[in-house]
């Protein structure tokens, strides 16, 4: 028994050495498929398509916090010219999910002439708001500093997020140039500004008549609204939307709760004559972007918007 105890102790130390932060693996494509297949028996998981004209590099370190490395995956098309860039932020309630879930979308968009970057960021079990926002903004700076390597135009960068990633994408876009949302550790002179926002079923306001956010939001925002109203307000893209907000595309499911604050944000964009689009995928569930037939619609709406804004 003593020998077994020693082995278990050594094994636990190995696990801690390999993974020094907690990971929630509850939100996956397969688990989402299992939940949806009964209601939507026609769906199929969208598959990655390794096109011959698309280059792919995985697990590139873009930042390091102590011993903790943060990575991104890059996808870009072989071409003689530079491409507009798209930063991809996965969903998972700020607590789960990972950058691999954006691979299929990254490959699809890169095959159409957009250099894509799927970003790893610290989730709520590891770090509270606003650390994940800092992470993605740091990744944008890294991309711009390495623009030549990835054949990306640093002045044509869009940010796209799904679900909680959509909330983050919108917040990052509307806080362009706002130093309060920049990582104080990062002394880079590069800009984290983006020139377009694509919010795929992500809320725009945490405290709003349309919002149903609760425990998961509170866990990330370090307290309920009653306990920490400042974070709930600051993390809401609607609060920061103004004449400087870049062109924005909203792609939404048929569930109203996942675009809380959208119509209020559109009113501000229209008032300031900022280009915006709304695409609603009728009769679709949340997380529709993982599955056919909705995946192709997501790619189509995204590329049409990007072509207008960048090309």
């Amino acid at each position: 028994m003593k020998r077994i105890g020693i082995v278990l102790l050594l094994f636990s130390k190995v696990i801690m050495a390999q993974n020094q932060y907690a990971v929630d693996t509850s939100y996956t494509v397969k688990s989402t498929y299992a939940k949806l297949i009964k209601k939507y028996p026609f769906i199929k998981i969208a598959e990655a398509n390794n096109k011959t004209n698309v280059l792919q590099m995985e697990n590139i370190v873009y930042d390091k916090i102590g011993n903790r490395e943060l990575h991104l995956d890059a996808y870009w098309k072989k071409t003689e010219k530079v491409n507009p860039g798209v930063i991809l932020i996965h969903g998972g309630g700020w607590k789960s999910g990972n950058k691999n879930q954006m691979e299929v979308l990254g490959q699809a968009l890169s095959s159409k002439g957009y250099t894509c970057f799927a970003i790893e960021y610290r989730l709520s079990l590891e770090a509270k708001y606003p650390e994940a926002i800092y992470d993605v903004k740091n990744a944008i700076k890294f991309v711009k500093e390495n623009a030549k390597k990835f054949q990306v135009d640093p002045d044509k960068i869009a940010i796209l997020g799904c679900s909680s990633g959509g909330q983050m994408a919108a917040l990052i876009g509307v806080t362009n140039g706002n130093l309060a949302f920049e990582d104080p550790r990062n002394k880079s002179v590069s800009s984290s500004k983006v020139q377009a926002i694509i919010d795929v079923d992500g809320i725009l306001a945490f405290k709003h008549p349309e919002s149903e956010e609760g425990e998961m939001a509170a866990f990330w925002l370090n307290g309920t609204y009653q306990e920490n109203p400042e974070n709930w307000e600051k993390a809401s893209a609607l609060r920061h939307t103004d004449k400087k907000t870049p062109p924005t595309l909203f792609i939404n499911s048929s569930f109203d709760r996942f675009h809380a604050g959208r119509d209020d944000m559109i009113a501000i964009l229209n008032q300031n004559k900022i280009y915006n689009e709304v695409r609603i995928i009728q009769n679709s569930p949340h997380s529709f972007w993982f599955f056919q037939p909705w995946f192709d619609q997501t790619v189509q709406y995204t590329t049409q918007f990007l072509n207008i804004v960048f090309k």
Side-chain angles (χ1 to χ4, degrees):
M1 293 295 294
K2 184 176 181 180
R3 184 177 179 181
I4 293 174
I6 293 173
V7 171
L8 289 173
L9 178 61
L10 290 173
F11 180 74
S12 65
K13 287 183 177 180
V14 170
I15 295 297
M16 288 299 294
Q18 291 177 343
N19 189 10
Q20 297 178 356
Y21 54 94
V23 177
D24 181 331
T25 59
S26 61
Y27 182 67
T28 67
V29 178
K30 289 184 178 180
S31 65
T32 305
Y33 176 82
K35 292 177 182 178
L36 296 177
I37 189 61
K38 290 184 179 180
K39 186 174 181 179
Y40 306 92
F42 55 86
I43 65 173
K44 294 183 179 180
I45 296 174
E47 296 181 353
N49 189 352
N50 292 306
K51 297 181 180 293
T52 56
N53 63 343
V54 173
L55 298 172
Q56 181 170 333
M57 291 182 64
E58 299 178 349
N59 295 318
I60 302 165
V61 177
Y62 74 83
D63 195 11
K64 193 171 183 179
I65 305 160
N67 293 324
R68 171 71 159 104
E69 293 181 342
L70 292 171
H71 308 83
L72 59 80
D73 298 338
Y75 310 86
W76 71 101
K77 188 176 182 179
K78 296 178 182 178
T79 178
E80 296 295 325
K81 60 181 181 179
V82 295
N83 305 312
V86 183
I87 305 297
L88 303 174
I89 311 176
H90 70 81
W94 308 278
K95 186 179 182 182
S96 188
N98 61 71
K99 63 180 173 58
N100 299 337
Q101 294 171 354
M102 306 305 283
E103 178 183 21
V104 184
L105 186 57
Q107 290 187 348
L109 294 177
S110 61
S111 71
K112 297 181 181 298
Y114 293 93
T115 299
C116 296
F117 303 89
I119 309 302
E120 174 193 16
Y121 57 91
R122 287 172 291 166
L123 297 167
S124 59
L125 284 174
E126 180 182 2
K128 305 301 183 186
Y129 169 88
E131 297 299 324
I133 304 301
Y134 293 162
D135 292 343
V136 179
K137 285 191 177 253
N138 289 342
I140 296 169
K141 291 183 177 183
F142 175 88
V143 165
K144 292 185 176 184
E145 290 165 357
N146 294 274
K148 289 184 179 179
K149 177 179 179 180
F150 300 116
Q151 293 180 261
V152 64
D153 186 339
D155 297 318
K156 293 182 178 180
I157 302 291
I159 187 161
L160 180 157
C162 300
S163 189
S164 57
Q167 177 275 323
M168 291 173 60
L171 180 61
I172 288 165
V174 300
T175 56
N176 272 343
N178 187 333
L179 295 180
F181 288 83
E182 299 286 345
D183 187 351
R185 295 182 306 107
N186 192 325
K187 306 303 180 183
S188 170
V189 296
S190 297
S191 170
S192 64
K193 288 184 178 181
V194 298
Q195 286 70 49
I197 299 168
I198 302 170
D199 179 358
V200 183
D201 235 20
I203 65 166
L204 288 309
F206 282 95
K207 189 67 174 177
H208 189 275
E210 298 169 342
S211 177
E212 297 180 18
E213 297 304 320
E215 290 183 7
M216 296 190 81
F219 191 73
W220 183 52
L221 295 171
N222 206 21
T224 64
Y225 181 77
Q226 290 71 27
E227 294 167 338
N228 198 343
E230 183 178 5
N231 275 2
W232 281 64
E233 293 295 335
K234 282 187 175 180
S236 297
L238 177 61
R239 173 176 175 174
H240 308 282
T241 305
D242 58 19
K243 63 182 180 181
K244 297 179 182 179
T245 297
T248 303
L249 167 65
F250 305 92
I251 306 178
N252 291 122
S253 68
S254 52
F255 292 90
D256 292 345
R257 61 163 290 200
F258 292 109
H259 59 69
R262 182 197 66 195
D263 294 346
D264 297 314
M265 181 170 173
I266 289 172
I268 298 172
L269 297 176
N270 289 340
Q271 182 180 0
N272 289 282
K273 298 180 179 180
I274 297 168
Y275 182 74
N276 63 88
E277 294 181 14
V278 178
R279 299 288 189 172
I280 299 174
I281 301 181
Q282 297 294 341
N283 302 315
S284 64
H286 190 53
S287 298
F288 57 83
W289 53 89
F290 287 149
F291 309 106
Q292 296 288 15
W294 308 301
F295 174 81
D296 285 344
Q297 287 181 269
T298 304
V299 172
Q300 179 186 358
Y301 294 150
T302 298
T303 52
Q304 287 175 345
F305 171 77
L306 291 174
N307 288 343
I308 290 171
V309 174
F310 289 147
K311 293 185 178 181

